[in-house]
Amino acid sequence: MRILAVQMSDELFDKLGQHVKEANMTKQNYVNEVIRNDLMSHRQTQEVAVQKIWDRESVAKAIDDYIKVNEKIPSQKEFKNENGLPSYNAAGRCLAMSPAEYAQQRFEQWQAEQEENETNEPIMSM
């Protein structure tokens, strides 16, 4: 894991603290989410223009990325290119199980990782 230190004004830092408190998040989780969402949005915009050939690895990564960004399991209707996912049928052909089963398993694993990260998060004061 790497640490990103950024300098910001006291006022902005205080507003960030207030915002994450209201959102019941940590600063680390908030910054990670903002950066991840921005990068995923940029990546998805680029991928929509390119015809994608899906294989098991790319389908699994797309579902994992969707879960991380949206913090939920994609519904069958959300399996489409504009969401960074293949069609539900294409995903089913690539995976050894139904896309719904795979997404459910990965979501549960992701939740467990999030809970573990929160309990192991170091406390920093400035």
Side-chain angles (χ1 to χ4, degrees), residues 66-124:
Y66 182 93
I67 289 170
K68 289 174 186 173
V69 169
N70 298 288
E71 299 183 0
K72 71 180 193 87
I73 299 168
S75 70
Q76 188 169 349
K77 290 181 181 181
E78 291 171 313
F79 276 84
K80 49 188 169 183
N81 284 329
E82 55 260 29
N83 292 330
L85 296 167
S87 70
Y88 191 84
N89 289 336
R93 287 189 297 270
C94 294
L95 299 170
M97 61 182 68
S98 80
E101 290 173 320
Y102 177 84
Q104 179 66 43
Q105 286 180 0
R106 293 300 295 149
F107 182 74
E108 290 169 2
Q109 290 171 346
W110 176 81
Q111 280 185 318
E113 290 169 7
Q114 295 303 305
E115 290 171 8
E116 183 178 318
N117 287 342
E118 288 177 8
T119 57
N120 293 332
E121 184 174 297
I123 299 174
M124 291 180 55

Side-chain angles (χ1 to χ4, degrees), residues 31-104:
V31 170
N32 285 335
E33 181 180 329
V34 168
I35 293 170
R36 186 180 302 112
N37 288 345
D38 184 60
L39 292 174
M40 288 299 300
S41 174
H42 178 71
R43 192 194 86 180
Q44 287 175 353
T45 300
Q46 289 178 328
E47 286 182 356
V48 167
V50 177
Q51 182 69 14
K52 179 117 175 144
I53 297 174
W54 295 98
D55 60 12
R56 187 184 191 302
E57 184 179 317
S58 62
V59 170
K61 183 175 181 339
I63 293 172
D64 291 352
D65 290 345
Y66 182 93
I67 289 170
K68 289 174 186 173
V69 169
N70 298 288
E71 299 183 0
K72 71 180 193 87
I73 299 168
S75 70
Q76 188 169 349
K77 290 181 181 181
E78 291 171 313
F79 276 84
K80 49 188 169 183
N81 284 329
E82 55 260 29
N83 292 330
L85 296 167
S87 70
Y88 191 84
N89 289 336
R93 287 189 297 270
C94 294
L95 299 170
M97 61 182 68
S98 80
E101 290 173 320
Y102 177 84
Q104 179 66 43

Side-chain angles (χ1 to χ4, degrees), residues 8-47:
M8 64 177 70
S9 70
D10 290 341
E11 179 183 353
L12 184 58
F13 189 80
D14 293 342
K15 285 182 180 180
L16 173 62
Q18 181 181 7
H19 177 72
V20 298
K21 184 177 180 181
E22 290 170 0
N24 198 25
M25 299 177 78
T26 65
K27 289 177 183 142
Q28 177 184 358
N29 288 346
Y30 177 76
V31 170
N32 285 335
E33 181 180 329
V34 168
I35 293 170
R36 186 180 302 112
N37 288 345
D38 184 60
L39 292 174
M40 288 299 300
S41 174
H42 178 71
R43 192 194 86 180
Q44 287 175 353
T45 300
Q46 289 178 328
E47 286 182 356

